[in-house]
Amino acid sequence: MRYLPVLFLLVCGCTQVADYDLIIRGGTVYDGTGTAPYIADVAVAADTIAAIGDLAEARGSEEINAEGLAVAPGFINMLSWATESLILDGRSLSDLSQGVTLEVFGEGVSNGPLSARMKEEMWDRFVARVGSEEEVAALLGDKQIPWTTLDEYLSFLESKGISTNVASLIGAATVRQHVIGEDERAPTAEELGRMQDLVREAMAEGALGVGSSLIYVPGVFASTDELTALASAAGEFDGVYVSHIRSEGGRLLESVEELIQIARDAGVRGHIYHLKAAGQNNWHKMETVIARVNEVRSEGLEITADIYTYVAGATGLDAAMPPGVQAGGMMAWHARLQDPIVRARMETEMMTPSDDWENLMLDAGPENVMLVGFRNEALRQYTGMRLTKVADLRGTSIPVTVMDLVIEDTSRVNAVYFLMDESNVRLKLQQPWIAIDSDAASLAPEGASLNNMVHPRAYGSFARLLAKYVREEQVLTLEEAVRRMTSLPASILSINRRGLLQRGYFGDIAIFDPSTIQDHATFDAPHQLATGMYYVFVNGTQVLNNGEHTGAMPGRVVRRSSSASQ
């Protein structure tokens, strides 16, 4: 890594008093609007961008020479799963090393509001992940989950200390579980009203909107009318409806129509999480999806989407089983999988295409499912193997292998599904309404993280956009790529004073070398940080210096619209 000088001005009797806390000198400014870049100085006072232009006569307490480097707003991760990883390690290193300064949570589930039972289940998950109740109590500062509402959870992160900002949607599945559990049934009118009230409470506290995830239990049990009711409640606060749609494969077109209908009927903006056409038989549908979204956008309905920059997705082996067998929660699911009658039925259902549920294993093909994460150490011998090979080693059929692994691991078992088309990735990136996500936790390549493999998107989704699709393949310009990671997501989520390099905006700044920024994580060796991101500032505080973490934890809760904490 080349050395880039940081100049510190000593304040003494013979030295001019500094005009600003920080001046970034001579960088090429990509301001987030998507317009042509320009060379300028950028000054920061406290947590705010104070001036942009020729600041030759001004002085900063700290100055950075950014000649030859890109100076951009900090990137916004539209779909982050750093909800727990930030509790374990507040540095957010894998995302920060790519320039991410804001993590957005809430794909279907959120860390609040929690019922007493949900708190107990969350505590048990932490214990299973960390190792002991004593260690969890030390992390949380309490012998139980110390928050109830979503805003209390976000405030907990801020008070604990995090390097990136955080924001969240309220999970549609979370309010469903809070009111009716994980049963396969519709809510009563009274229950739906309570669910709407929970959405309103979270929105009043600054949630960004409602997020659904419609292939997983219990979100899969929600009807279109239920989701419209929740989106309408969020719409009272100008919230967005965001969804992992009901199908990304065989029923992709119908599922996009459902999202459009919900957005239109609820009177809200609609956003598709990690837009994809899953499975080779469905790749051709992406052109139709894009044409349809462009059509409704031309009619004035604001529909957008985001993607990660890879041809594989990642989720659990629950995505290979019908929802009904998973109803009632993890323990009920595991109990059913040990019932001989259920197992016999699963042998057929898991290998038979169906329009009733999303089977990612069949979309990808069992040979294209790679196992990457186990709780049970005895099963980690299979890490990195394809499902077909594990079945051969165990001498069992594909469905039996999947069921037994879930039972033995007491988890959904993490897996990577190779099911997308590279040409579709390029096609999606050409659409001006496509933002970028990681759909992953933010990790560090050390300690317990190394016990399992992960999808490389956790370490490379944003850097890969800049390296592969901007610099190497020129699918989009650098200024447009920056817009997709900054002002576009800020606009989708109604976030003020972030996403642009403008006077009066918060000092979230990423400084990188466009000619060298590079992702290094691969599917076989994912735990590798991106390089080429030299300096990152969050709320005016430096968190990355010459690619190294400074130890600073200036991250804040970002709330929708005009909230004072934003």
Side-chain angles (χ1 to χ4, degrees), residues 81-346:
W81 281 104
T83 46
E84 293 184 5
S85 61
L86 283 177
I87 295 175
L88 301 173
D89 182 352
R91 293 175 298 170
S92 196
L93 200 56
S94 61
D95 270 2
L96 197 65
S97 296
Q98 300 177 77
V100 171
T101 58
L102 171 57
E103 310 277 5
V104 180
F105 310 138
E107 185 198 355
V109 297
S110 53
N111 274 21
L114 302 178
S115 65
R117 179 179 176 181
M118 293 165 75
K119 283 190 174 187
E120 292 174 359
E121 291 172 350
M122 183 174 287
W123 176 269
D124 291 342
R125 288 199 303 272
F126 270 110
V127 172
R129 177 170 180 173
V130 175
S132 72
E133 294 202 0
E134 291 74 16
E135 290 173 290
V136 174
L139 279 171
L140 301 181
D142 203 333
K143 294 183 179 180
Q144 61 181 350
I145 299 297
W147 65 81
T148 299
T149 69
L150 175 58
D151 194 61
E152 287 171 351
Y153 158 71
L154 295 171
S155 297
F156 167 82
L157 285 181
E158 180 179 299
S159 63
K160 183 176 177 63
I162 47 177
S163 291
T164 53
N165 299 310
V166 291
S168 187
L169 306 155
I170 181 168
T174 297
V175 298
R176 173 177 249 273
Q177 184 180 2
H178 193 284
V179 174
I180 66 175
E182 298 187 72
D183 295 340
E184 186 178 1
R185 68 173 179 86
T188 65
E190 185 272 337
E191 288 170 335
L192 184 57
R194 287 163 53 196
M195 291 163 65
Q196 287 182 297
D197 285 342
L198 289 173
V199 170
R200 292 185 182 104
E201 290 168 13
M203 294 300 299
E205 293 177 334
L208 304 176
V210 170
S212 68
S213 189
L214 303 180
I215 74 166
Y216 304 111
V217 172
V220 66
F221 303 140
S223 68
T224 303
D225 288 343
E226 176 183 324
L227 297 167
T228 302
L230 299 183
S232 296
E236 297 170 14
F237 300 82
D238 192 34
V240 62
Y241 173 68
V242 184
S243 184
H244 176 154
I245 56 179
R246 210 171 290 273
S247 172
E248 297 171 325
R251 294 167 293 134
L252 171 62
L253 303 182
E254 296 86 344
S255 298
V256 170
E257 286 300 326
E258 182 186 34
L259 178 127
I260 291 170
Q261 179 186 342
I262 291 169
R264 180 178 286 124
D265 291 349
V268 299
R269 303 180 306 284
H271 183 84
I272 304 170
Y273 262 150
H274 47 59
L275 176 63
K276 67 173 71 71
Q280 187 169 357
N281 292 338
N282 301 303
W283 289 349
H284 67 283
K285 296 178 181 178
M286 185 52 62
E287 291 186 1
T288 304
V289 168
I290 288 172
R292 178 59 176 147
V293 172
N294 282 328
E295 179 183 24
V296 298
R297 285 175 57 85
S298 70
E299 297 168 354
L301 185 61
E302 190 172 341
I303 303 295
T304 52
D306 57 60
I307 68 168
Y308 41 82
T309 54
Y310 297 86
V311 295
T315 185
L317 291 182
D318 51 338
M321 297 189 201
V325 76
Q326 303 174 51
M330 185 70 72
M331 298 311 296
W333 176 28
H334 284 194
R336 289 191 191 97
L337 293 183
Q338 297 175 70
D339 182 328
I341 296 175
V342 173
R343 289 175 69 86
R345 188 176 79 245
M346 288 299 99

